[in-house]
Amino acid sequence: MILPGGTLGILGGGQLGRMLCLEARRLGYRTVVWSGSEVAEPTQGVADEVILKPFSDAEAQAYFVEQVDVATVEFENIDHDVLRAVEAAVGIHPRPEAVAICQNREREKLFLQGKGIPCAPFRVIETAADLAAGVTELGGKGVLKTAAFGYDGKGQIRVHEGMDWEKVWAEFDFPRAVLEKWIPFECEISVMVARGADGAMEVYDVAENVHREHVLDYSIVPARVDAQVVAQAQELAKKLAEGLEYRGIMGVEFFVSESEGLIVNEMAPRPHNSGHHTMDACETSQFEQQLRAVVGLSLGSSRLFCPVVMLNLLGDMWRGESLFEKLALQENATWHLYGKTSSKGLRKCGHANFLGEQALENALALKNAVLGES
């Protein structure tokens, strides 16, 4: 166990790292961020130290492990060898093998299949011929996804019979991919589950997620799904954490399908966008839970205080003073900004949590007022 006064190392310098740094400071821990790049806007100014070096830099790695007592990740696309080296030097949670499974769709699907956990039928694709055959085998349409490095809808396209497979594969321009059967679904839900050093687990209320152009727009908690679906999703999330020998917090996304039932879409070995509601609406936030698990403290309660809607403050909402003028008028809303200097496109620049029975109505009213929608 590492007590307050110790130093947490974080690989990655994005907004998840920022919020983890702020939580660590509140609880009395120092933080050292190794950004993996020359940019780490969100964590600069809130971490005790930021190392602006690539993960391939051996000197940066040596310095990082000298400064910290234990480490974690704030995003998963980190070379396995780097994770193993940090693990050998100071320990890292979640363990590198768990991160490796979650960072690669092929490994993730094979893991789910091996554990008997429902996921979309899939094929591994290496050639245009594989793609043509796979689409036919999976019912004539599907989603082609990169095996690695995809997020927020990037690195994936919908495909269907009759397309020019040589052209599609050439334009996709990745050497290896996963083709998933197209699953019609009613909604997407997600569950945050935490597993501590002692194997104890805490599972949060299920979130219902609504997307805009493949980017999470808002999450509704509790999700508007049957109690049986909630219980099944929570049990599957715990089964995954157990199967991965996980330590830390993890997000698990599901599709709720009338024809296929509940199926796992993907796993995130870190805090997750759909878990941001926990910062204001739960007894223990996902970031405090991550810290507790990584340093070896017992987990906190995941109890939900009241209904909540988490609204992402995307780049197109940054319109002068309008957003914050309207947010400031909300009695039961709290906002969290990520310290980014650019708000281009649908970049995630912050989020707001709306509490209470009117949370969804208030969140959508604010969003529509800012964007000028009807």
Side-chain angles (χ1 to χ4, degrees), residues 250-266:
M250 177 172 67
V252 185
E253 295 179 357
F254 300 87
F255 290 142
V256 180
S257 169
E258 185 175 345
S259 60
E260 304 288 336
L262 190 65
I263 63 172
V264 174
N265 179 34
E266 62 183 32

Side-chain angles (χ1 to χ4, degrees), residues 251-308:
V252 185
E253 295 179 357
F254 300 87
F255 290 142
V256 180
S257 169
E258 185 175 345
S259 60
E260 304 288 336
L262 190 65
I263 63 172
V264 174
N265 179 34
E266 62 183 32
M267 305 179 291
R270 50 171 170 77
H272 190 260
N273 194 174
S274 68
H276 289 344
H277 70 278
T278 64
M279 297 174 73
D280 298 302
C282 292
E283 190 164 327
T284 308
S285 78
Q286 65 168 339
F287 297 101
E288 179 179 344
Q289 207 75 284
Q290 175 77 343
L291 179 65
R292 283 171 173 257
V294 171
V295 302
L297 298 175
S298 59
L299 298 179
S301 168
S302 58
R303 182 169 65 95
L304 182 72
F305 294 137
C306 64
V308 56

Side-chain angles (χ1 to χ4, degrees), residues 97-221:
E97 289 75 18
V99 176
I101 289 170
C102 297
Q103 73 183 190
N104 182 282
R105 289 189 176 102
E106 180 181 347
R107 289 194 290 264
E108 184 178 68
K109 296 293 183 187
L110 292 172
F111 172 80
L112 292 169
Q113 193 176 67
K115 293 294 180 181
I117 294 174
C119 64
F122 68 96
R123 298 291 185 273
V124 176
I125 305 299
E126 294 183 288
T127 66
D130 290 343
L131 180 56
V135 170
T136 299
E137 291 167 6
L138 294 176
K141 54 184 177 180
V143 183
L144 182 66
K145 301 180 177 182
T146 58
F149 302 110
Y151 65 97
D152 285 347
K154 298 178 176 64
Q156 60 181 269
I157 58 170
R158 289 181 62 175
V159 293
H160 55 82
E161 283 187 329
M163 299 178 77
D164 183 334
W165 300 123
E166 292 289 346
K167 181 180 179 182
V168 169
W169 185 243
E171 292 178 350
F172 194 65
D173 196 27
F174 282 91
R176 197 172 179 90
V178 170
L179 174 68
E180 296 179 7
K181 179 181 178 178
W182 174 253
I183 302 293
F185 60 94
E186 282 66 59
C187 67
E188 180 195 285
I189 61 174
S190 59
V191 180
M192 302 306 302
V193 58
R195 187 169 183 267
D198 59 357
M201 287 191 276
E202 282 284 333
V203 61
Y204 287 83
D205 282 74
V206 174
E208 177 185 346
N209 302 321
V210 179
H211 291 77
R212 183 153 60 97
E213 296 181 32
H214 303 292
V215 177
L216 181 60
D217 193 8
Y218 56 92
S219 294
I220 305 163
V221 185

Side-chain angles (χ1 to χ4, degrees), residues 2-62:
I2 299 165
L3 297 175
T7 301
L8 173 69
I10 303 171
L11 280 76
Q15 61 258 26
L16 300 178
R18 175 189 181 89
M19 289 178 274
L20 183 55
C21 285
L22 290 170
E23 198 61 37
R25 178 166 290 184
R26 183 180 72 83
L27 294 174
Y29 291 86
R30 297 185 70 256
T31 52
V32 175
V33 169
W34 183 9
S35 67
S37 69
E38 296 180 354
V39 179
E41 288 176 347
T43 51
Q44 288 181 305
V46 298
D48 290 281
E49 184 174 358
V50 179
I51 303 168
L52 296 172
K53 297 288 184 180
F55 292 130
S56 59
D57 190 311
E59 290 184 3
Q61 178 181 295

